[in-house]
């Protein structure tokens, strides 16, 4: 990747070093860079299990003592029956402790490897960030939002690769959603544009946790529509064509056709339904190739301006003919007005005093209509569902009567 050290994945495949991995995790925890909620909850659960097992053991022992005297020869069988739940509880707690130790060791090893990989390629490793402040569609929904295993680079522009999880609730059921993402900082804010990849569609279409009306879908030339559905705010179709020139479209098709893409504010965000930040060298090689091919084309986006912001922009007026401006002849206001000519034989004093014409250069930013796509109204979905069920119910109800009438 341009501006980052050569790709070196040896840290991801190095022999295991338990001492170094444990020491690295301890340093992260001492620097308060590790959320301790998962380990603390696991320890609390094990302690609670031991307490419950102990209380249950005491209760069963008392019952056995009380009942053993009256059973006589059946007391040993009763003891076995009382002992089985205790042994089962001990086995569950012991198994949980072993699983917890194994998961903790694996997580410590993963952090140590990824930190070494980040160091070797000139990036920064961040273990976790609760509720990351990125503006993308996957970062503003659900609860328990956490970005983890983040690698950040700052040259030639800010790049972040990580994994993101959040929890959504549907009545009594909760589901944890997992994403991999790439975030690239742009030079200027751009209109809100989404490229919904067709290669990762699920059974019901897009896997993105949002939907937008078809009136905002823009068809582009060539094979682009086979790989992506492009959504942009209404009125910004020409701006989308300026941003997605044929060479840029080719880069996305060749290198990122399995990723959903979102441009929002001054961020380019790419989403995957699988983890992108892993200990797999092959996955990182692919991620770096995607970033590298896109970085080469992002500089041209910095020249985009929203013409809707030109009117009334403070300090944006440039006067034609002003000394040192060097306004190109094709720019508005650059042409000399009619009647501003010089009479024959004049020494220059006869130039007519035509008023200067302002040319307004739009400031950096996006007008309100282009900042966010309009979400599809949920009432449309409700109406479709009710219509389908209504027609189905009507068919079931009237079907027998219509059949009888047809047979008569």
């Amino acid at each position: 990747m341009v501006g980052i050290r050569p790709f070196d994945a040896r840290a991801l495949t190095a022999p295991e070093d338990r001492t170094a991995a444990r020491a690295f995790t301890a340093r992260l925890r001492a620097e308060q860079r590790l959320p301790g909620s998962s380990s603390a909850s696991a320890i609390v659960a094990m302690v609670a299990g031991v307490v419950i097992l102990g209380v249950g053991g005491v209760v069963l022992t008392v019952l056995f003592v009380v009942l053993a005297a009256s059973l006589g020869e059946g007391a040993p069988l009763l003891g076995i029956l009382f002992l089985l739940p205790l042994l089962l509880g001990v086995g569950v707690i012991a198994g949980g402790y072993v699983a917890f130790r194994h998961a903790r060791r694996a997580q410590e090893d993963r952090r140590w490897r990824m930190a070494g990989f980040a160091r070797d390629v000139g990036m920064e490793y961040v273990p976790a960030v609760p509720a990351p402040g990125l503006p993308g569609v996957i970062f503003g929904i659900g609860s328990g939002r956490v970005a983890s295993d983040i690698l950040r680079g700052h040259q030639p522009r800010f790049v972040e690769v990580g994994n993101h999880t959040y929890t959504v609730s549907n009545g009594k059921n909760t589901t944890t959603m997992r994403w991999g993402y790439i975030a690239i900082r742009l030079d200027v804010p751009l209109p809100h544009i989404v490229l919904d990849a067709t290669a990762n569609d699920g059974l019901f279409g897009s896997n993105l946790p949002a939907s937008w009306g078809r009136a905002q879908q823009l068809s582009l030339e060539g094979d682009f529509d086979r790989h992506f559905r492009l959504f942009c705010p209404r009125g910004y179709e020409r701006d989308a064509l300026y941003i997605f020139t044929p060479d840029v479209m080719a880069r996305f098709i060749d290198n990122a056709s399995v990723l959903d893409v979102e441009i929002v504010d001054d961020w380019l965000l790419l989403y995957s339904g699988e983890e992108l930040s892993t200990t797999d060298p092959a996955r990182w090689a692919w991620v770096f190739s995607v970033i590298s091919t896109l970085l080469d084309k992002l500089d041209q986006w910095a020249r985009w301006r929203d013409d809707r912001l030109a009117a009334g922009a403070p300090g944006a007026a440039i006067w034609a003919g002003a000394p040192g401006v060097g306004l190109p002849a094709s720019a508005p206001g650059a042409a000399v007005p009619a009647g501003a000519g010089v009479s024959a034989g004049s020494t220059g004093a006869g130039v007519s005093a035509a008023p200067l014409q302002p040319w307004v250069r739009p400031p950096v930013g996006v007008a309100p209509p282009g900042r966010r796509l309009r979400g599809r109204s949920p009432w449309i979905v409700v109406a479709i569902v009710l219509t389908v069920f209504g027609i189905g119910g009507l068919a079931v109800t009237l079907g027998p009567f219509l059949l009888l009438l047809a047979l008569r």
Side-chain angles (χ1 to χ4, degrees), residues 344-365:
S346 170
T347 59
V351 178
S352 60
L356 297 178
Q357 302 295 320
W359 170 59
V360 178
R361 175 177 172 80
V364 172

Side-chain angles (χ1 to χ4, degrees), residues 219-236:
S219 178
L220 297 182
E221 63 183 21
D223 294 335
F224 195 78
D225 290 348
R226 292 176 49 203
H227 299 275
F228 294 101
R229 292 180 289 267
L230 189 150
F231 296 89
C232 69
R234 298 193 64 177
Y236 281 80

Side-chain angles (χ1 to χ4, degrees), residues 43-302:
I43 294 174
V44 169
M46 284 191 293
V47 171
V50 171
V51 171
I52 293 173
L53 182 64
V55 172
V58 171
V59 172
L60 290 176
T61 301
V62 171
L63 288 176
F64 174 73
V65 171
V66 172
L67 296 176
S70 59
L71 289 178
E73 295 181 357
L77 179 62
L78 179 65
I80 294 175
L81 293 177
F82 277 23
L83 186 61
L84 285 177
L86 293 178
L87 293 177
L88 180 61
V90 170
V92 169
I93 293 177
Y97 176 73
V98 171
F100 168 73
R101 285 288 302 271
H102 178 74
R104 186 175 65 179
R105 289 181 57 176
Q107 189 61 39
E108 291 174 349
D109 182 72
R110 177 187 177 99
R111 295 191 194 105
W112 172 68
R113 292 180 183 278
M114 297 195 67
F117 172 65
R119 178 195 64 239
D120 293 341
V121 296
M123 300 181 76
E124 172 192 7
Y125 173 68
V126 181
V129 175
L134 294 170
V137 66
I138 70 170
F139 297 102
I141 59 177
S143 59
R145 299 189 294 269
V146 177
S148 59
D149 290 331
I150 300 169
L151 266 67
R152 289 174 177 167
H154 299 272
Q155 294 296 332
R157 63 176 67 241
F158 181 88
V159 176
E160 178 175 301
V161 182
N163 305 314
H164 181 66
T165 60
Y166 58 88
T167 301
V168 293
S169 300
N170 183 14
K172 296 181 179 180
N173 300 321
T174 60
T175 304
T176 300
M177 308 300 296
R178 305 180 186 277
W179 295 85
Y181 71 91
I182 301 171
I184 303 175
R185 196 72 179 260
L186 303 175
D187 297 306
V188 297
L190 296 177
H192 190 195
I193 298 176
V194 171
L195 303 183
D196 185 5
T198 60
N200 57 24
D201 283 350
L203 181 62
F204 300 101
S206 173
N207 67 333
L208 286 172
S211 59
W212 301 275
R214 294 185 64 87
Q216 299 173 102
Q217 186 171 348
L218 176 63
S219 178
L220 297 182
E221 63 183 21
D223 294 335
F224 195 78
D225 290 348
R226 292 176 49 203
H227 299 275
F228 294 101
R229 292 180 289 267
L230 189 150
F231 296 89
C232 69
R234 298 193 64 177
Y236 281 80
E237 291 81 5
R238 290 182 61 186
D239 304 272
L241 293 176
Y242 172 86
I243 293 171
F244 288 97
T245 54
D247 58 331
V248 173
M249 289 191 291
R251 293 290 179 100
F252 277 98
I253 292 174
D254 294 340
N255 300 278
S257 60
V258 296
L259 301 174
D260 297 304
V261 182
E262 183 177 15
I263 299 174
V264 55
D265 299 336
D266 55 348
W267 288 97
L268 171 62
L269 304 167
L270 300 97
Y271 308 129
S272 171
E274 302 177 359
E275 287 188 343
L276 293 181
S277 182
T278 71
T279 55
D280 180 10
R283 177 63 57 89
W284 274 111
W286 177 75
V287 168
F288 273 44
S289 69
V290 170
I291 297 173
S292 180
T293 54
L294 295 181
L295 287 183
D296 293 342
K297 294 298 179 181
L298 298 185
D299 290 340
Q300 64 193 56
W301 291 2

Side-chain angles (χ1 to χ4, degrees), residues 318-322 325-338 340 354-360:
I318 301 178
W319 295 92
V325 170
L327 194 63
S330 61
V336 178
L356 297 178
Q357 302 295 320
W359 170 59
V360 178

